Structures are given as structure tokens and as C-alpha cells.
Amino acid sequence: MANDTPPRWDRKMQQRLARGEAAALGELYDRFASLVHSLAHRVLDDEEAADQTTREVFAHVWEHPDAYDPKEGPLRSWIAGVTQRRAAARLRQRHRDLGPRSPERFEQIEEKVRAASTAARADYIVTSMPASLRAALELAYFQRRDYRQTARQLGVTEDEARRRLRLGLQLLSS
């Protein structure tokens, strides 16, 4: 996947954070700040809240590096999950602060959180998938190209275009 880091890098980064290396936090921030901010902004639709959530996420990573388990997946995915949970909690709190609590209001809030979280996950998947799959999906769905036109525009066989579209859709459906 694009922007992925090797598992070895993830483990070393976790070890460096656990030792309290400030340079490790800076390196992690440089690598993942745009991901964290964009996911938070997608959920919250508020620049200031996304900035604050970004700070909270990196503070959490700094204070709890052992919460990441390399066996569970890449560090990037763990950070995206932390971001999504923090942003969803902030969105819930914002809506609780706005009005009276009723079962209907609670359901409305939860539906907004689910919709925002789903959209953020889809954004994360699309931006994380290999460029070849992303390009095929963009041609097919945003530019309304069929697989033959997609194949011609990408300079690949029709079978390869169909394979890329199928894999991209499988990633999105997950």
C-alpha cells in the first residue's frame, strides 16, 4: 500500500517512543500528521477541532507507545484507529453539548458518528491503496470510464484493468 512502512520500521519506532526519544515523535509526526489531520477533519468537519484532535492523537501515541501491538497490523493503521476513535468521541461530545438528551437525539448523534467514521475509513482506504488501484477506481467511478477505456488510459490490458478495479473494490468493501 502507498505510504506504508515496513513492519521493522514500525517496531523500531515503537521502541524509540517507549524510550522517550523526542526525535522519534517528530519523525512520526512528519510521516503521519497529514493522515491524522485529514481523518479528523473528515469526521469533524471543523479545522480547529481537527487540529486539536491531531495534537491529542500524537500526545496519546507519545504517552502510550506500548498500546500499539505490531501483531495487530501496521503502525499507520493503529494511528488511524486512534484518530477515528478520538474524533468520534469529540463529535459525540459536541452534539451532546448542543441539545437535550433523548433517545431520538442519541440515535441521531450515533448515526452522524457512524456516517462520518465510515467516510473517514473509506478516505483512509483509498489514500492508502496502491496508486495503480486508486488510478483505476478514479477513472472508473469519478470519470465514468468503463474497464476498456480505463485499460487504454492506463496503458494496461483489459484483464489487468478489471483486476485492478476488482481489488480496489474489495479493499473498499472491507
Side-chain angles (χ1 to χ4, degrees):
M1 287 186 165
N3 300 321
D4 260 354
T5 55
R8 186 174 182 198
W9 185 91
D10 291 352
R11 283 190 302 278
K12 283 187 176 233
M13 178 56 67
Q14 180 190 31
Q15 292 166 353
R16 291 175 61 201
L17 289 167
R19 286 193 303 264
E21 288 184 33
L25 182 63
E27 187 178 330
L28 194 72
Y29 183 87
D30 290 344
R31 187 176 293 249
F32 295 121
S34 63
L35 166 73
V36 170
H37 189 272
S38 66
L39 286 174
H41 194 275
R42 178 68 183 210
V43 171
L44 298 164
D45 195 29
D46 177 342
E47 189 69 27
E48 188 176 321
D51 290 344
Q52 190 169 0
T53 301
T54 300
R55 287 189 297 274
E56 288 175 4
V57 167
F58 284 99
H60 175 80
V61 170
W62 176 250
E63 293 167 2
H64 307 286
D66 293 332
Y68 166 64
D69 182 0
K71 294 175 189 167
E72 297 287 321
L75 184 60
R76 176 185 175 87
S77 296
W78 178 70
I79 289 173
V82 170
T83 303
Q84 186 176 337
R85 287 187 297 277
R86 292 273 175 162
R90 183 176 295 278
L91 185 61
R92 283 185 185 101
Q93 187 60 48
R94 179 193 304 161
H95 285 287
R96 278 188 212 116
D97 293 345
L98 290 177
R101 295 180 187 171
S102 69
E104 297 82 23
R105 179 84 174 133
F106 178 77
E107 272 305 311
Q108 289 174 337
I109 293 167
E110 287 305 306
E111 183 54 38
K112 285 183 180 184
V113 168
R114 278 192 294 274
S117 294
T118 299
R121 276 195 307 273
D123 271 358
Y124 171 70
I125 290 167
V126 169
T127 59
S128 297
M129 70 176 47
S132 60
L133 299 183
R134 189 172 51 250
L137 286 174
E138 286 173 357
L139 286 170
Y141 292 96
F142 295 120
Q143 297 181 23
R144 305 258 188 229
R145 306 281 194 265
D146 65 22
Y147 75 93
R148 289 182 179 100
Q149 294 167 324
T150 299
R152 271 194 302 276
Q153 195 154 349
L154 294 176
V156 298
T157 65
E158 290 178 4
D159 285 341
E160 178 62 16
R162 280 195 302 260
R163 185 187 72 78
R164 290 179 185 184
L165 289 169
R166 185 175 53 252
L167 286 174
L169 289 173
Q170 286 172 344
L171 282 172
L172 283 174
S173 71
S174 69

